[in-house]
Amino acid sequence: MSDRAMHATVDDVAALAGVSTATVSRCLNDPDRVLPATRKKVMEAIRTLNYSPNFGARALASRRTGIIGAVVPTLENAVFAHGIDAFEHALPEGKFALLVASYGYDPQREREQIEALVARGADGLLLVGFDRDPAIYEWLAIRKVPYVLAWACGDAHPYAGFDNVAGIVAMVRLVLDLGHRNISMLSGLTAGNDRARNRLEGARALLAEKGLSFRGVAEVPYGLENGAKAFAELMADRAVTAVVCGNDVLAAGALRAAHRMGLRVPEDVTITGFDDIDIASITFPELTTVRVPHKRMGQEAAALLQQLIDGKSGQSILLPTKIVARGTHAPPPSCRNA
């Protein structure tokens, strides 16, 4: 590497890109104000010269670090990975660096990760769901650290998310309309997880309106084998004709167990999921599920968080879910044979 590349200055970048140093600065600090073609030339020059902006000086001058933190329950779940990927790509190039931390559904670990990111100067945070100690929100407010919540919705905090209750209600209504009355639910763990809890409670509420209740409910940790084992236990009740699952991985595990048990899906039992991650379209049969707007949610969360960081009010956004009807749902045998 040449000495010039190792010690490139903003003047070198400007000269190579054929722009002013002010334009280089705008590309790094406020890229939306620069024409895409110009921004592309500047970023190519930065990469060619291996130019490293003095972020320490910029942070001192602006009282910002350019660091965004995202704290998620796990990166093993593709629903979070897809959302974080969309969120990162929606951040202006060169303006923010994203730091991602996971906490394994442990509330204390989540608090530690939030505090660690703030200690490192995070300008803002992306968090998952609303379900955490109110003291955390108070702590962030005192430190004037803006945040956006995703994968859920509510009135108390800024969010870019969707209604978990509405999503599961639409799915359970589909199952009821097919004629099923002996229904069980395979749920993720609900403690400290408002997404899983809202899905379970929403489904229960709809059944109660119809004078029904679940034949059985299983709450298990996220995982294929956990889903498979719980499904087998639920199906010990021979009357069950449909199992509604709180996420696609548990549903895929249920499908695996059904095949092992010699049950035909959907002829013998209907199985449904929630999220519409990649696995939903490669199971056999392909999974009927609730589609979550991963990509748009990440994009909207990034836009909202930038507004809050810039001192603007910003508006929360509620995104729709939809049923994706594939091959794992059908009327119960009694309706088909009537």
Side-chain angles (χ1 to χ4, degrees):
M1 184 181 297
S2 69
D3 287 343
R4 185 185 182 204
M6 291 178 64
H7 303 288
T9 68
V10 67
D11 294 306
D12 296 326
V13 173
L16 182 59
V19 300
S20 68
T21 56
T23 298
V24 175
S25 178
R26 278 194 295 273
C27 283
L28 293 171
N29 296 300
D30 198 1
D32 290 339
R33 293 178 57 200
V34 183
L35 291 173
T38 302
R39 188 166 65 239
K40 180 180 179 182
K41 286 195 301 182
V42 171
M43 299 311 296
E44 287 176 350
I46 287 172
R47 285 189 284 269
T48 298
L49 295 172
N50 195 34
Y51 171 66
S52 295
N54 189 340
F55 289 106
R58 184 194 304 175
L60 287 172
S62 66
R63 296 186 180 181
R64 293 185 184 176
T65 62
I67 294 173
I68 298 292
V71 187
V72 298
T74 178
L75 288 174
E76 292 182 350
N77 188 338
V79 73
F80 297 126
H82 288 322
I84 292 297
D85 182 68
F87 177 81
E88 182 174 24
H89 281 86
L91 296 173
E93 185 178 3
K95 184 174 181 180
F96 294 111
L98 179 65
L99 299 181
V100 181
S102 64
Y103 57 92
Y105 293 94
D106 179 344
Q108 180 57 34
R109 179 62 175 161
E110 184 197 31
R111 182 171 193 150
E112 292 169 356
Q113 296 285 34
I114 290 172
E115 292 174 350
L117 286 166
V118 172
R120 284 162 175 77
D123 293 330
L125 297 174
L126 175 68
L127 305 176
V128 175
F130 286 64
D131 208 358
R132 57 186 53 82
D133 188 340
I136 295 176
Y137 295 119
E138 295 171 6
W139 187 84
L140 290 171
I142 291 170
R143 285 156 182 78
K144 295 182 171 57
V145 178
Y147 57 86
V148 170
L149 309 182
W151 283 275
C153 64
D155 296 328
H157 304 281
Y159 70 87
F162 56 90
D163 189 335
N164 286 278
V165 172
I168 200 68
V169 163
M171 181 59 77
V172 175
R173 185 170 285 117
L174 169 66
V175 171
L176 290 171
D177 288 346
L178 289 169
H180 293 277
R181 295 297 180 268
N182 296 316
I183 306 167
S184 289
M185 183 157 184
L186 176 47
S187 169
L189 297 177
T190 59
N193 184 336
D194 54 342
R195 288 86 58 209
R197 186 172 62 254
N198 287 342
R199 293 172 196 179
L200 177 55
E201 291 179 353
R204 276 180 165 151
L206 177 62
L207 289 181
E209 287 179 12
K210 308 295 184 182
L212 301 170
S213 61
F214 282 123
R215 298 282 305 197
V217 173
E219 289 189 32
V220 297
Y222 184 84
L224 282 169
E225 283 306 315
N226 293 330
K229 181 179 179 182
F231 174 83
E233 292 171 354
L234 290 171
M235 292 305 294
D237 181 348
R238 302 280 180 184
V240 171
T241 62
V243 176
V244 175
C245 299
N247 62 62
D248 288 344
V249 170
L250 294 180
L255 276 169
R256 176 183 290 183
H259 295 321
R260 290 173 179 167
M261 297 166 68
L263 294 172
R264 299 169 301 161
V265 179
E267 292 84 357
D268 297 325
V269 60
T270 282
I271 297 174
T272 67
F274 199 112
D275 289 333
D276 197 28
I277 59 176
D278 295 342
I279 197 172
S281 61
I282 61 172
T283 59
F284 180 79
E286 293 182 2
L287 187 63
T288 295
T289 188
V290 178
R291 175 170 293 165
V292 169
H294 314 109
K295 184 175 181 179
R296 188 179 170 202
M297 181 179 63
Q299 294 169 339
E300 296 288 356
L304 177 56
L305 187 55
Q306 288 177 75
Q307 291 174 353
L308 298 177
I309 290 171
D310 290 338
K312 301 174 184 176
S313 59
Q315 293 293 320
S316 294
I317 181 166
L318 178 64
L319 300 170
T321 57
K322 65 175 290 187
I323 299 293
V324 180
R326 295 194 177 101
T328 59
H329 67 293
S334 59
C335 290
R336 292 197 303 273
N337 296 332

